[in-house]
Amino acid sequence: MLLDTPVRLGIQIRPQHVSYEDIRRAVLTLEDLGVDILFNWDHFYPLSGDPEGRHFESWTMLAAWAEQTEKVEFGALVNCNSYRNADLQADMARTVDHISAKGGEGRFIFGTGSGWFERDYDEYGYEFGTPGTRLTALAEALPRIEARWEKLVPVPTRKIPVLIGGKGEQKTLRIVARHADIWHSFVTPEELAHKVSVIDEWAAKDGTDVSNLVVSNELQRRTTEDADALYDAGVRLFTLGFDGPDWDFDVVRRWLQWRDGKN
């Protein structure tokens, strides 16, 4: 677990109940404020509020962010593995990586997961399966994605960081140990040490190196005291869900001030 990396703040712009003009404005403002990472999510319908409300698709939006922004990293929190062929996901990620590079390295983070929102599956014609079958599919997809990155012409501009979310000890954390650069969860500070030990155990069993794994967690409905406890437990990437169209940028400014106090 990497503890000497700077604290970073990621803002998840929830692409629901807003116009795309609202989202574009939020992206520009948040980059100007100095956030480290911008996230959206990979769903087809709102997760809260009016279930028939406005909503926008993840990957096309990420390509727009790649062109629109100059320095902030970005990705989905998280991509749903079920919705796209593994090799296609790799090619999409590589392309967005190159769009964002602008003379240097790309800024795309490949956040991914097994999927969970049943309405997405039903409405768009994907087989929902079970949590177990979806996790198995994710475990099978990631080696294909990594292999495709090596075959593409051109290859990605950098080793695209892989973020994996979840806390299940038998499947999810083994996938984290095998593939992740960033592990994201909502677990409490008290739970973190145990979960990290499980990741370490899987890494030892599978012969992988997790010494540089960045631990990520969520700030929603948490106080600075909570964030301090997460920091002490090893979290170095903090994410915050952000709702529009009445974006509360003052909340972001306060968390940026807290971040700067840790660095």
Coordinates of all heavy atoms in Angstrom, one line a residue, residues 64-137:
A64 N -15.2 13.7 -24.6 CA -15.3 15.1 -24.6 C -14.5 15.8 -23.6 O -13.8 16.8 -23.8 CB -16.8 15.5 -24.4
W65 N -14.4 15.2 -22.4 CA -13.6 15.7 -21.3 C -12.1 15.7 -21.7 O -11.4 16.6 -21.3 CB -13.8 14.9 -20.0 CG -15.2 15.1 -19.4 CD1 -16.2 15.9 -19.9 CD2 -15.6 14.6 -18.1 NE1 -17.3 15.8 -19.0 CE2 -16.9 15.0 -17.9 CE3 -15.0 13.8 -17.2 CZ2 -17.6 14.6 -16.8 CZ3 -15.7 13.4 -16.0 CH2 -17.0 13.8 -15.8
A66 N -11.7 14.6 -22.4 CA -10.3 14.5 -22.8 C -9.9 15.7 -23.7 O -8.8 16.2 -23.6 CB -10.1 13.2 -23.6
E67 N -10.8 16.1 -24.5 CA -10.5 17.2 -25.4 C -10.7 18.6 -24.6 O -9.9 19.5 -24.9 CB -11.4 17.2 -26.6 CG -11.1 18.2 -27.7 CD -9.7 17.9 -28.3 OE1 -9.5 16.8 -28.8 OE2 -8.8 18.8 -28.2
Q68 N -11.7 18.6 -23.8 CA -12.0 19.9 -23.1 C -11.0 20.3 -22.1 O -10.7 21.5 -21.9 CB -13.4 19.8 -22.5 CG -13.8 20.9 -21.6 CD -15.2 20.7 -20.9 OE1 -15.8 19.7 -21.1 NE2 -15.6 21.6 -20.1
T69 N -10.4 19.4 -21.4 CA -9.5 19.7 -20.2 C -8.1 19.7 -20.7 O -7.7 19.2 -21.7 CB -9.8 18.7 -19.1 OG1 -9.5 17.3 -19.6 CG2 -11.2 18.7 -18.6
E70 N -7.2 20.2 -19.8 CA -5.8 20.3 -20.1 C -4.9 19.6 -19.1 O -3.8 19.1 -19.5 CB -5.4 21.8 -20.1 CG -6.1 22.6 -21.1 CD -5.7 22.3 -22.6 OE1 -4.6 21.8 -22.7 OE2 -6.5 22.5 -23.5
K71 N -5.3 19.5 -17.8 CA -4.4 18.9 -16.9 C -5.0 17.9 -15.9 O -4.3 17.1 -15.3 CB -3.8 20.0 -16.0 CG -4.8 21.0 -15.4 CD -4.2 22.2 -14.8 CE -5.2 23.2 -14.3 NZ -4.7 24.4 -13.8
V72 N -6.3 17.9 -15.7 CA -6.9 17.1 -14.7 C -7.0 15.6 -15.3 O -7.2 15.4 -16.5 CB -8.3 17.6 -14.4 CG1 -9.3 17.4 -15.6 CG2 -8.9 16.9 -13.1
E73 N -6.8 14.6 -14.4 CA -7.0 13.3 -14.8 C -8.5 13.0 -14.7 O -9.3 13.7 -14.1 CB -6.3 12.3 -13.9 CG -4.8 12.3 -14.1 CD -4.1 11.2 -13.3 OE1 -4.0 11.3 -12.1 OE2 -3.6 10.2 -14.0
F74 N -9.0 11.9 -15.4 CA -10.4 11.7 -15.4 C -10.7 10.2 -15.8 O -9.9 9.5 -16.3 CB -11.1 12.6 -16.5 CG -10.6 12.4 -17.9 CD1 -11.3 11.6 -18.8 CD2 -9.4 12.9 -18.3 CE1 -10.8 11.3 -20.0 CE2 -8.9 12.7 -19.6 CZ -9.6 11.9 -20.4
G75 N -11.9 9.8 -15.5 CA -12.4 8.5 -15.8 C -13.8 8.2 -15.3 O -14.4 9.2 -14.8
A76 N -14.2 7.0 -15.3 CA -15.5 6.6 -14.8 C -15.3 6.0 -13.4 O -14.3 5.3 -13.2 CB -16.2 5.6 -15.7
L77 N -16.2 6.3 -12.5 CA -16.2 5.6 -11.2 C -17.6 4.9 -11.1 O -18.5 5.4 -10.4 CB -16.1 6.7 -10.1 CG -15.8 6.2 -8.7 CD1 -14.4 5.6 -8.6 CD2 -15.8 7.4 -7.7
V78 N -17.7 3.8 -11.7 CA -16.8 3.1 -12.5 C -17.5 2.6 -13.8 O -18.7 2.6 -13.9 CB -16.1 1.9 -11.8 CG1 -15.2 2.3 -10.7 CG2 -17.2 0.9 -11.3
N79 N -16.6 2.3 -14.8 CA -17.1 1.6 -16.0 C -17.8 0.3 -15.7 O -17.4 -0.4 -14.7 CB -15.9 1.3 -16.9 CG -16.2 0.4 -18.1 OD1 -16.9 0.7 -19.0 ND2 -15.6 -0.8 -18.0
C80 N -18.8 -0.1 -16.4 CA -19.5 -1.4 -16.2 C -18.9 -2.4 -17.3 O -19.2 -2.2 -18.5 CB -21.0 -1.3 -16.3 SG -21.7 -3.0 -16.1
N81 N -18.2 -3.4 -16.8 CA -17.6 -4.4 -17.7 C -18.6 -5.1 -18.6 O -18.3 -5.5 -19.7 CB -16.8 -5.4 -16.9 CG -16.2 -6.5 -17.7 OD1 -15.3 -6.2 -18.5 ND2 -16.8 -7.7 -17.6
S82 N -19.9 -5.2 -18.1 CA -20.9 -6.0 -18.8 C -21.3 -5.4 -20.1 O -21.9 -6.1 -21.0 CB -22.1 -6.2 -18.0 OG -21.8 -6.8 -16.7
Y83 N -21.2 -4.1 -20.3 CA -21.8 -3.4 -21.3 C -21.0 -3.3 -22.6 O -21.6 -2.9 -23.7 CB -22.1 -1.9 -21.0 CG -23.0 -1.7 -19.7 CD1 -22.9 -0.6 -19.0 CD2 -23.8 -2.7 -19.3 CE1 -23.7 -0.4 -17.8 CE2 -24.6 -2.6 -18.1 CZ -24.5 -1.4 -17.4 OH -25.3 -1.2 -16.3
R84 N -19.8 -3.7 -22.6 CA -18.9 -3.6 -23.8 C -17.9 -4.8 -23.8 O -17.4 -5.1 -22.8 CB -18.2 -2.3 -23.8 CG -19.2 -1.1 -23.8 CD -18.4 0.2 -23.4 NE -19.4 1.2 -23.1 CZ -19.9 1.4 -21.8 NH1 -19.5 0.7 -20.8 NH2 -20.8 2.4 -21.6
N85 N -17.7 -5.3 -25.0 CA -16.6 -6.3 -25.2 C -15.3 -5.8 -24.6 O -14.9 -4.6 -24.7 CB -16.5 -6.5 -26.7 CG -15.3 -7.2 -27.2 OD1 -14.2 -6.7 -27.2 ND2 -15.5 -8.5 -27.5
A86 N -14.5 -6.7 -24.0 CA -13.3 -6.4 -23.3 C -12.3 -5.7 -24.2 O -11.7 -4.7 -23.9 CB -12.7 -7.6 -22.7
D87 N -12.1 -6.2 -25.4 CA -11.1 -5.6 -26.4 C -11.6 -4.2 -26.8 O -10.8 -3.3 -27.0 CB -10.9 -6.5 -27.5 CG -10.2 -7.8 -27.1 OD1 -10.9 -8.8 -26.7 OD2 -9.0 -7.9 -27.1
L88 N -12.9 -4.1 -27.0 CA -13.4 -2.7 -27.3 C -13.2 -1.8 -26.2 O -12.8 -0.6 -26.4 CB -14.9 -2.8 -27.6 CG -15.6 -1.5 -27.9 CD1 -15.0 -0.8 -29.1 CD2 -17.1 -1.7 -28.1
Q89 N -13.4 -2.2 -25.0 CA -13.1 -1.3 -23.8 C -11.6 -0.8 -23.9 O -11.3 0.3 -23.6 CB -13.3 -2.0 -22.5 CG -14.8 -2.3 -22.2 CD -14.9 -3.1 -20.9 OE1 -14.6 -2.6 -19.9 NE2 -15.5 -4.3 -21.0
A90 N -10.7 -1.8 -24.1 CA -9.3 -1.4 -24.2 C -9.0 -0.4 -25.3 O -8.3 0.6 -25.1 CB -8.5 -2.7 -24.5
D91 N -9.6 -0.6 -26.5 CA -9.4 0.4 -27.6 C -10.0 1.7 -27.3 O -9.4 2.8 -27.6 CB -10.0 -0.2 -28.8 CG -9.4 0.3 -30.1 OD1 -8.7 1.4 -30.0 OD2 -9.6 -0.3 -31.2
M92 N -11.2 1.7 -26.7 CA -11.8 3.0 -26.3 C -10.9 3.7 -25.3 O -10.7 5.0 -25.4 CB -13.2 2.8 -25.7 CG -14.2 2.2 -26.7 SD -15.7 1.6 -25.9 CE -16.5 3.0 -25.3
A93 N -10.4 3.0 -24.3 CA -9.6 3.6 -23.2 C -8.3 4.2 -23.9 O -7.9 5.3 -23.5 CB -9.3 2.6 -22.2
R94 N -7.7 3.4 -24.8 CA -6.5 3.9 -25.4 C -6.7 5.1 -26.2 O -5.9 6.1 -26.3 CB -5.9 2.8 -26.3 CG -4.6 3.1 -27.1 CD -4.8 3.9 -28.4 NE -5.9 3.4 -29.2 CZ -5.7 2.8 -30.4 NH1 -4.5 2.6 -30.8 NH2 -6.7 2.5 -31.2
T95 N -7.9 5.2 -26.9 CA -8.2 6.3 -27.8 C -8.4 7.6 -26.9 O -7.9 8.7 -27.2 CB -9.4 6.0 -28.6 OG1 -9.1 4.9 -29.5 CG2 -9.8 7.2 -29.5
V96 N -9.2 7.4 -25.8 CA -9.4 8.6 -24.9 C -8.1 9.0 -24.3 O -7.9 10.2 -24.1 CB -10.5 8.2 -23.9 CG1 -10.6 9.3 -22.8 CG2 -11.8 7.9 -24.5
D97 N -7.3 8.1 -24.0 CA -5.9 8.4 -23.4 C -5.2 9.3 -24.4 O -4.6 10.3 -24.0 CB -5.2 7.1 -23.2 CG -3.7 7.3 -23.0 OD1 -3.3 7.8 -21.9 OD2 -2.9 6.9 -23.9
H98 N -5.2 8.9 -25.7 CA -4.4 9.7 -26.7 C -5.1 11.1 -26.9 O -4.4 12.1 -27.1 CB -4.4 9.0 -28.0 CG -3.2 8.1 -28.1 ND1 -2.0 8.4 -28.6 CD2 -3.1 6.8 -27.6 CE1 -1.1 7.4 -28.5 NE2 -1.8 6.4 -27.9
I99 N -6.4 11.2 -26.9 CA -7.1 12.4 -27.0 C -6.7 13.4 -25.9 O -6.5 14.6 -26.2 CB -8.6 12.3 -27.0 CG1 -9.1 11.5 -28.2 CG2 -9.3 13.6 -27.0 CD1 -10.6 11.0 -28.1
S100 N -6.5 12.9 -24.7 CA -6.2 13.7 -23.6 C -4.7 14.1 -23.5 O -4.3 14.9 -22.7 CB -6.6 13.0 -22.3 OG -5.7 11.9 -22.0
A101 N -3.8 13.5 -24.3 CA -2.4 13.6 -24.1 C -1.9 15.0 -24.4 O -1.2 15.6 -23.6 CB -1.6 12.6 -24.9
K102 N -2.2 15.6 -25.6 CA -1.9 17.0 -26.0 C -0.4 17.2 -25.8 O 0.0 18.2 -25.1 CB -2.7 17.9 -25.2 CG -4.2 17.7 -25.4 CD -5.1 18.7 -24.6 CE -6.5 18.4 -24.9 NZ -7.5 19.3 -24.2
G103 N 0.4 16.4 -26.4 CA 1.9 16.6 -26.3 C 2.6 15.9 -25.2 O 3.8 15.9 -25.2
G104 N 1.9 15.4 -24.3 CA 2.5 14.7 -23.1 C 1.9 13.3 -23.0 O 1.4 12.7 -23.9
E105 N 1.8 12.8 -21.7 CA 1.2 11.6 -21.4 C -0.3 11.8 -21.3 O -0.8 12.9 -21.0 CB 1.7 11.0 -20.1 CG 3.1 10.4 -20.2 CD 3.4 9.6 -18.9 OE1 2.8 9.9 -17.9 OE2 4.3 8.8 -19.0
G106 N -1.1 10.8 -21.5 CA -2.5 10.9 -21.4 C -2.9 11.0 -19.9 O -2.1 10.8 -19.0
R107 N -4.2 11.3 -19.7 CA -4.7 11.6 -18.3 C -5.8 10.7 -17.9 O -6.5 10.9 -16.9 CB -5.1 13.0 -18.2 CG -3.9 14.0 -18.4 CD -4.3 15.5 -18.4 NE -4.9 15.8 -19.7 CZ -6.1 16.2 -20.0 NH1 -7.0 16.2 -19.0 NH2 -6.6 16.5 -21.2
F108 N -6.1 9.6 -18.7 CA -7.3 8.8 -18.5 C -7.0 7.7 -17.4 O -5.9 7.1 -17.4 CB -7.7 8.1 -19.8 CG -8.8 7.2 -19.7 CD1 -10.1 7.7 -19.5 CD2 -8.7 5.8 -19.8 CE1 -11.2 6.9 -19.3 CE2 -9.8 5.0 -19.7 CZ -11.1 5.5 -19.4
I109 N -7.9 7.5 -16.5 CA -7.9 6.4 -15.5 C -9.0 5.5 -15.9 O -10.2 5.8 -16.0 CB -8.1 7.0 -14.1 CG1 -6.9 7.9 -13.7 CG2 -8.3 5.9 -13.1 CD1 -7.1 8.6 -12.4
F110 N -8.6 4.2 -16.0 CA -9.6 3.2 -16.3 C -10.2 2.6 -15.0 O -9.7 1.6 -14.5 CB -9.0 2.1 -17.2 CG -9.9 1.0 -17.6 CD1 -11.0 1.3 -18.5 CD2 -9.8 -0.3 -17.2 CE1 -11.9 0.3 -18.9 CE2 -10.7 -1.3 -17.6 CZ -11.7 -1.0 -18.5
G111 N -11.3 3.2 -14.6 CA -12.0 2.7 -13.4 C -13.0 1.7 -13.9 O -13.8 2.0 -14.9
T112 N -13.1 0.5 -13.3 CA -14.0 -0.5 -13.8 C -14.5 -1.4 -12.7 O -13.9 -1.5 -11.6 CB -13.3 -1.4 -14.9 OG1 -14.3 -2.1 -15.6 CG2 -12.2 -2.3 -14.3
G113 N -15.7 -2.0 -13.0 CA -16.3 -2.9 -12.1 C -17.2 -3.8 -12.8 O -17.4 -3.8 -14.0
S114 N -17.9 -4.7 -12.0 CA -18.7 -5.8 -12.6 C -20.1 -5.4 -12.9 O -20.8 -6.2 -13.6 CB -18.7 -7.0 -11.6 OG -19.2 -6.6 -10.4
G115 N -20.6 -4.2 -12.4 CA -22.0 -3.8 -12.7 C -22.9 -4.3 -11.6 O -22.7 -5.3 -11.0
W116 N -24.0 -3.5 -11.5 CA -25.0 -3.9 -10.4 C -26.4 -3.4 -10.6 O -27.4 -3.9 -10.1 CB -24.5 -3.4 -9.1 CG -24.4 -1.8 -9.0 CD1 -23.3 -1.1 -9.4 CD2 -25.4 -0.9 -8.6 NE1 -23.6 0.3 -9.3 CE2 -24.9 0.4 -8.8 CE3 -26.7 -1.1 -8.2 CZ2 -25.7 1.5 -8.5 CZ3 -27.5 0.1 -7.9 CH2 -26.9 1.4 -8.0
F117 N -26.6 -2.4 -11.5 CA -27.9 -1.7 -11.6 C -28.7 -2.4 -12.6 O -28.6 -2.3 -13.8 CB -27.6 -0.2 -12.1 CG -28.8 0.7 -12.0 CD1 -29.7 0.6 -10.9 CD2 -29.1 1.6 -13.0 CE1 -30.8 1.4 -10.9 CE2 -30.2 2.4 -13.0 CZ -31.0 2.4 -11.9
E118 N -29.7 -3.2 -12.1 CA -30.4 -4.1 -13.0 C -31.2 -3.4 -14.1 O -31.4 -4.0 -15.2 CB -31.4 -4.9 -12.1 CG -32.0 -6.1 -12.8 CD -32.7 -7.1 -11.9 OE1 -32.7 -6.9 -10.7 OE2 -33.2 -8.1 -12.4
R119 N -31.7 -2.2 -13.8 CA -32.5 -1.5 -14.9 C -31.6 -1.3 -16.1 O -32.1 -1.5 -17.3 CB -33.0 -0.2 -14.4 CG -33.9 0.4 -15.4 CD -34.4 1.8 -15.0 NE -35.3 2.3 -16.0 CZ -35.7 3.6 -16.1 NH1 -35.4 4.4 -15.1 NH2 -36.5 4.0 -17.1
D120 N -30.4 -0.9 -15.9 CA -29.5 -0.8 -17.1 C -29.5 -2.0 -18.0 O -29.6 -2.0 -19.2 CB -28.1 -0.5 -16.6 CG -27.8 0.9 -16.1 OD1 -28.7 1.8 -16.3 OD2 -26.8 1.1 -15.5
Y121 N -29.3 -3.2 -17.3 CA -29.3 -4.4 -18.0 C -30.6 -4.7 -18.7 O -30.6 -5.1 -19.9 CB -28.9 -5.6 -17.1 CG -27.5 -5.6 -16.5 CD1 -27.1 -4.7 -15.5 CD2 -26.6 -6.4 -17.1 CE1 -25.8 -4.7 -15.0 CE2 -25.3 -6.5 -16.6 CZ -24.9 -5.6 -15.6 OH -23.6 -5.6 -15.1
D122 N -31.7 -4.6 -18.0 CA -33.0 -5.0 -18.6 C -33.3 -4.1 -19.8 O -33.8 -4.5 -20.8 CB -34.0 -4.9 -17.5 CG -33.9 -5.9 -16.4 OD1 -33.1 -6.9 -16.7 OD2 -34.5 -5.8 -15.3
E123 N -33.2 -2.8 -19.6 CA -33.6 -1.8 -20.6 C -32.7 -1.9 -21.9 O -33.2 -1.7 -23.0 CB -33.6 -0.4 -20.1 CG -34.6 -0.2 -18.9 CD -35.9 0.4 -19.4 OE1 -36.1 0.4 -20.7 OE2 -36.7 0.8 -18.6
Y124 N -31.4 -2.2 -21.7 CA -30.5 -2.2 -22.8 C -30.2 -3.6 -23.4 O -29.4 -3.8 -24.3 CB -29.2 -1.5 -22.4 CG -29.3 0.0 -22.6 CD1 -30.3 0.7 -21.9 CD2 -28.5 0.7 -23.4 CE1 -30.4 2.1 -22.0 CE2 -28.6 2.1 -23.6 CZ -29.6 2.8 -22.9 OH -29.7 4.2 -23.0
G125 N -30.8 -4.6 -22.8 CA -30.7 -5.9 -23.3 C -29.5 -6.7 -23.0 O -29.1 -7.7 -23.7
Y126 N -28.9 -6.4 -21.8 CA -27.8 -7.2 -21.4 C -28.3 -8.3 -20.4 O -29.2 -8.0 -19.6 CB -26.7 -6.3 -20.7 CG -26.1 -5.3 -21.6 CD1 -26.5 -4.0 -21.5 CD2 -25.2 -5.7 -22.6 CE1 -25.9 -3.0 -22.3 CE2 -24.7 -4.7 -23.4 CZ -25.0 -3.4 -23.3 OH -24.5 -2.4 -24.1
E127 N -27.6 -9.4 -20.3 CA -27.9 -10.4 -19.3 C -27.4 -10.0 -18.0 O -26.2 -9.7 -17.8 CB -27.3 -11.8 -19.7 CG -27.7 -12.9 -18.8 CD -27.0 -14.2 -19.2 OE1 -26.5 -14.3 -20.3 OE2 -27.1 -15.2 -18.4
F128 N -28.3 -9.9 -17.0 CA -28.0 -9.5 -15.7 C -27.1 -10.5 -14.9 O -26.2 -10.2 -14.2 CB -29.2 -9.1 -14.9 CG -29.0 -8.4 -13.6 CD1 -28.2 -7.3 -13.5 CD2 -29.5 -8.9 -12.4 CE1 -27.9 -6.6 -12.3 CE2 -29.3 -8.3 -11.2 CZ -28.5 -7.1 -11.1
G129 N -27.5 -11.8 -15.0 CA -26.8 -12.8 -14.3 C -26.8 -12.7 -12.8 O -27.8 -12.2 -12.2
T130 N -25.7 -13.0 -12.1 CA -25.6 -12.9 -10.7 C -24.4 -12.1 -10.3 O -23.5 -11.9 -11.2 CB -25.5 -14.3 -10.0 OG1 -24.2 -14.9 -10.5 CG2 -26.7 -15.2 -10.5
P131 N -24.2 -11.6 -9.1 CA -23.0 -11.0 -8.7 C -21.7 -11.9 -9.0 O -20.7 -11.3 -9.5 CB -23.1 -10.7 -7.2 CG -24.6 -10.6 -7.0 CD -25.2 -11.6 -8.0
G132 N -21.9 -13.2 -8.8 CA -20.8 -14.1 -9.1 C -20.4 -14.1 -10.5 O -19.2 -14.1 -10.9
T133 N -21.4 -14.3 -11.4 CA -21.1 -14.4 -12.8 C -20.6 -13.1 -13.4 O -19.7 -13.1 -14.2 CB -22.3 -14.8 -13.6 OG1 -23.4 -13.8 -13.5 CG2 -22.9 -16.1 -13.2
R134 N -21.0 -11.9 -12.8 CA -20.5 -10.7 -13.3 C -19.1 -10.4 -12.9 O -18.3 -9.9 -13.6 CB -21.4 -9.5 -12.8 CG -22.8 -9.6 -13.4 CD -23.6 -8.3 -13.2 NE -23.8 -7.9 -11.8 CZ -24.8 -8.4 -11.1 NH1 -25.7 -9.3 -11.6 NH2 -24.9 -8.0 -9.8
L135 N -18.7 -10.9 -11.7 CA -17.4 -10.8 -11.2 C -16.4 -11.7 -12.0 O -15.3 -11.3 -12.3 CB -17.3 -11.0 -9.7 CG -17.7 -9.9 -8.8 CD1 -17.9 -10.4 -7.3 CD2 -16.6 -8.8 -8.8
T136 N -16.9 -12.9 -12.3 CA -16.1 -13.8 -13.1 C -15.9 -13.2 -14.5 O -14.7 -13.3 -15.0 CB -16.9 -15.1 -13.3 OG1 -17.0 -15.7 -12.0 CG2 -16.1 -16.1 -14.2
A137 N -16.9 -12.5 -15.0 CA -16.7 -11.9 -16.3 C -15.6 -10.8 -16.2 O -14.8 -10.6 -17.2 CB -18.0 -11.3 -16.8

